[in-house]
Amino acid sequence: MDWHLLYTRPRFEAKLRKEIADLQYECYLPMRTVTRKWSDRIKKLNEPLFPGYVFVKIPRKDRYRILLLSGSVGFVSFEGEPAILQEKLIEDVRRLEMHDTESIPYYSTGEKVMITQGAFAGFEGELIRIQSKLKVVIKISPIKQALAVEVDSSCISRLVY
């Protein structure tokens, strides 16, 4: 049996983990505790360390059975073959989970993004440069002008059309 990385529908990680466990397969969903702030309250929540992914240890012949589960999208693959993960990687992720870690969205230059917080909230633009791991420069062009602003990476979200 090998470890595979299963891509899930948004917010289906925990449900899929339970369904896989019910089928008697080993499944691993690394979690983290985050603090969310709303206008009227602050709450601590458990959420997946890697949203949209679940680690599954299954025999190769049973992959199709997992793909039939609701919430399952597909296995992460390379050149048409599902990626096989080493046991050491799973152990390393388990060690990471024990510490206060934060996964940061991975952005590429040229991506369309929206600023979600701050003075420019609601503006859409194109990511033109990543200056450091926490700062990005965005091109804002709602009025057919280029305006570069520097915002924290936690203040943007990827636009999906």
Side-chain angles (χ1 to χ4, degrees):
M1 297 212 305
D2 297 313
W3 281 102
H4 297 275
L5 187 57
L6 182 65
Y7 185 59
T8 72
R9 287 178 50 195
R11 302 192 185 276
F12 268 73
E13 302 90 354
K15 182 178 187 232
L16 203 50
R17 174 186 56 188
K18 183 184 179 323
E19 288 182 19
I20 292 168
D22 289 346
L23 292 173
Q24 305 299 312
Y25 294 114
E26 188 174 352
C27 182
Y28 174 50
L29 176 60
M31 301 293 283
R32 67 178 175 157
T33 302
V34 295
T35 304
R36 294 283 182 238
K37 183 178 178 182
W38 290 273
S39 59
D40 61 335
R41 68 188 183 282
I42 297 174
K43 192 172 183 180
K44 288 190 181 247
L45 303 170
N46 282 329
E47 67 178 31
L49 184 60
F50 305 111
Y53 296 96
V54 174
F55 297 95
V56 184
K57 191 172 190 177
I58 56 170
R60 184 179 184 129
K61 65 180 177 61
D62 291 343
R63 287 183 306 196
Y64 185 70
R65 189 174 182 192
I66 300 298
L67 290 175
L68 292 176
L69 298 173
S70 63
S72 178
V73 174
F75 289 100
V76 173
S77 61
F78 297 100
E79 297 179 6
E81 286 295 314
I84 296 175
L85 307 174
Q86 301 297 321
E87 189 74 38
K88 182 175 180 343
L89 174 66
I90 303 301
E91 292 169 11
D92 290 346
V93 172
R94 288 184 198 272
R95 282 188 315 162
L96 281 173
E97 184 181 20
M98 287 187 252
H99 297 81
D100 226 4
T101 58
E102 177 183 359
S103 61
I104 298 170
Y106 179 79
Y107 294 104
S108 300
T109 57
E111 282 191 86
K112 301 294 183 198
V113 295
M114 175 187 284
I115 299 177
T116 58
Q117 298 174 16
F120 295 101
F123 280 92
E124 295 179 6
E126 179 182 338
L127 182 65
I128 57 173
R129 188 171 66 238
I130 300 172
Q131 287 185 307
S132 71
K133 72 177 191 176
L134 296 178
K135 297 291 181 182
V136 294
V137 177
I138 306 288
K139 182 174 73 176
I140 307 293
S141 54
I143 56 174
K144 305 276 186 223
Q145 297 290 319
L147 173 65
V149 295
E150 192 171 296
V151 296
D152 191 271
S153 63
S154 65
C155 297
I156 64 172
S157 67
R158 184 175 287 111
L159 287 175
V160 179
Y161 294 102

